[in-house]
Structure formats: structure tokens, C-alpha cells
Amino acid sequence: MVESFQSFSPVLQAFLAGLFTWGCTIFGASFVFLFKEVNRKFLDIMNGFAAGVMIAASFWSLLAPSISYAEQNGYGTWSWVPAVVGFLAGGLFLRLIDVVIPHLHFNEPIENREGPKTKASKNLLLFLAVTIHNIPEGLAVGVAFGAVVSGAANGDAFLSALGLALGIGIQNIPEGSALSMPIRAAGSSRWRAFNLGQLSAIVEPIAAVIGAVAVITMTAILPYALAFAAGAMIFVVVEQLIPESQTNGNKDIATLSLLVGFSVMMVLDVALG
């Protein structure tokens, strides 16, 4: 099955991997048909786990290949430059998105919404917050598969990209539940809550295709693009996932879950890549 998937073009691989991560969100959002609200302790555990996955993926699947590709393509002792520039640009890009798009983080009253002033409902603001932060995940998947063409990573870059998609998919499951269940608890129907939960990740296959096409057609930007995706993902981790996992009295178990998530993603990437 892996061999058949590998025979596809990198852009199609990225698109299918994006569909997989979206499918994981759909699966998580479907829990709203079984439960009305998510257990807070469970959610903090999964937020911590997701943070660990994304931190590990940012290094092994994105930053390390960025530096490796730069070394192979004439940067010499300056091979760290694309990684630093791209990493900072990715974080600044997410910050800019936060400023221009109204949104609201979980567990926050609507008065604490971020971005431009708006009369949008709390449900829509929660939806926008998750959607914004799904963009770098899709980009990361696309850039990783696009990098296979250029051999940006040591070892088997294709399997490394598969590991990244798998890791992001795993952490998308609780994310889908974390959005759909509060919307249901606020009074929306199960179908509306489910649809808002799963649609938050529709940007992932789109962003994956954009990332893959960009690095394939403009190979010079590849080390910057890899680091850009890493910076955007770390911004999400520090701004959203870690704070949300640490504010409900479950700090220790959330932190341990982060370590487990980091270890799982590290094993996936090192074993596969």
C-alpha cells in the first residue's frame, strides 16, 4: 500500500495526506454524537500530547531537513540562516493572521476575543481560532512531501513525511472533539456542532497542496519553507495548546502528556525517516 502511495506525484501525496489529517478531525468531531461535552482532564491530556507531537515534528521533520538541505546547496557555514529566517517568518505570519482575523480561544469569555471587533457568535469565533491554527499543519505536510523531490532530508524523506502526516492526524482527533463538543454544549444541534468541528480542518488539504506546489516549483525557497512551517507550528503550540492544557488544574498530567507526544512523534520520524 505504501509503495502504491509513493508512486503518486508529491502534490497528490500531499493532498491525500491532507485529506487524512482532515479525516482525523472529522473522526474526532463525530464524538459529539456520543457525548454532549468533553472531559476537561482528557482534553488537557490531549492538548499536551498534541503540543509534544508538534514540537517534535517541527524539529525532526522540518527544521533539521531545512538545515540539511541548506548545507547540501551551497550555504556552508551559513546553513542556519534559512532555518532562522523561515522559523521567525512562520511565527510572525501566524501572529499577523491572529491580528487580522477575529477569533476566540477555548475557555475564554467572548469579551476576550482577539483580532478586529466583530459581532460574530462565540461558536464562529471558536471555529475561526481552530481553522487559523490548522493552516500551518497543512503547510507542514505539503512542504514535507514536496521536499521529497529535492531530497531535503537525510534518510527516507518520503517515510518521514508520512510520519509527520500521521502525527498531525493523531493530534487532530482530540482537536475535532474540543471544538464540536463546546459548540454542542452551548445549545447547537449535534449536526451543526459536528459540521463546524470537521470543517475547521478543511484548510489542511488545501494548505498541503499549496505547500507542495510552492517548494516543487521554487526549490530555492525549500529550506525557508520547511522552517516557516515549523515556526508557525511552534507559535500554535506556545500560544494555544500549552496555555490551554495548563489552566484547569491538570498541569502535571498535561506536561507528562506533552513528553509522551514528543516521544511518539520522535519515534515515528526517526524510525520511519
Side-chain angles (χ1 to χ4, degrees):
M1 184 175 180
V2 172
E3 290 78 8
S4 298
F5 184 78
Q6 194 169 7
S7 67
F8 299 149
S9 71
V11 174
L12 181 56
Q13 291 172 4
F15 178 65
L16 293 175
L19 289 180
F20 166 74
T21 60
W22 180 22
C24 290
T25 303
I26 294 173
F27 177 64
S30 71
F31 291 177
V32 76
F33 294 109
L34 302 175
F35 311 100
K36 186 172 183 178
E37 56 186 45
V38 65
N39 179 277
R40 187 66 245 183
K41 185 175 183 179
F42 173 76
L43 184 56
D44 290 341
I45 289 171
M46 296 313 296
N47 275 333
F49 180 86
V53 167
M54 292 176 71
I55 292 171
S58 294
F59 176 72
W60 271 281
S61 297
L62 298 169
L63 285 174
S66 169
I67 295 171
S68 175
Y69 182 82
E71 288 176 344
Q72 297 167 16
N73 287 272
Y75 282 83
T77 57
W78 297 94
S79 59
W80 53 269
V81 171
V84 172
V85 172
F87 186 80
L88 294 176
L92 290 172
F93 171 75
L94 259 290
R95 175 55 185 153
L96 177 62
I97 294 294
D98 272 358
V99 169
V100 300
I101 297 180
H103 61 284
L104 178 70
H105 295 295
F106 296 121
N107 299 323
E108 293 285 349
I110 195 166
E111 293 77 16
N112 290 349
R113 59 184 176 271
E114 299 179 15
K117 292 183 178 180
T118 178
K119 293 183 179 179
S121 67
K122 184 175 182 179
N123 287 346
L124 179 57
L125 292 172
L126 288 171
F127 168 81
L128 289 172
V130 177
T131 302
I132 290 169
H133 293 157
N134 278 330
I135 294 173
E137 295 175 10
L139 284 174
V141 170
V143 170
F145 278 100
V148 174
V149 175
S150 302
N154 293 322
D156 195 324
F158 171 76
L159 290 178
S160 180
L162 276 184
L164 174 63
L166 179 59
I168 289 177
I170 290 171
Q171 67 94 26
N172 273 2
I173 296 174
E175 190 173 78
S177 299
L179 178 57
S180 62
M181 289 186 185
I183 292 174
R184 168 59 179 159
S188 295
S189 68
R190 284 187 169 89
W191 273 108
R192 176 172 172 77
F194 167 74
N195 283 326
L196 285 174
Q198 61 91 9
L199 283 173
S200 67
I202 196 173
V203 295
E204 293 199 3
I206 298 170
V209 169
I210 292 172
V213 170
V215 299
I216 290 172
T217 57
M218 298 177 287
T219 56
I221 72 167
L222 179 54
Y224 297 93
L226 288 163
F228 180 93
M233 287 175 65
I234 292 298
F235 184 93
V236 172
V237 169
V238 177
E239 195 231 11
Q240 178 184 355
L241 295 179
I242 291 178
E244 288 178 3
S245 72
Q246 297 287 315
T247 55
N248 303 284
N250 300 306
K251 292 183 178 180
D252 289 342
I253 193 167
T255 302
L256 291 172
S257 298
L258 186 151
L259 298 177
V260 172
F262 186 96
S263 300
V264 168
M265 188 64 224
M266 176 173 62
V267 169
L268 280 174
D269 195 274
V270 174
L272 293 178

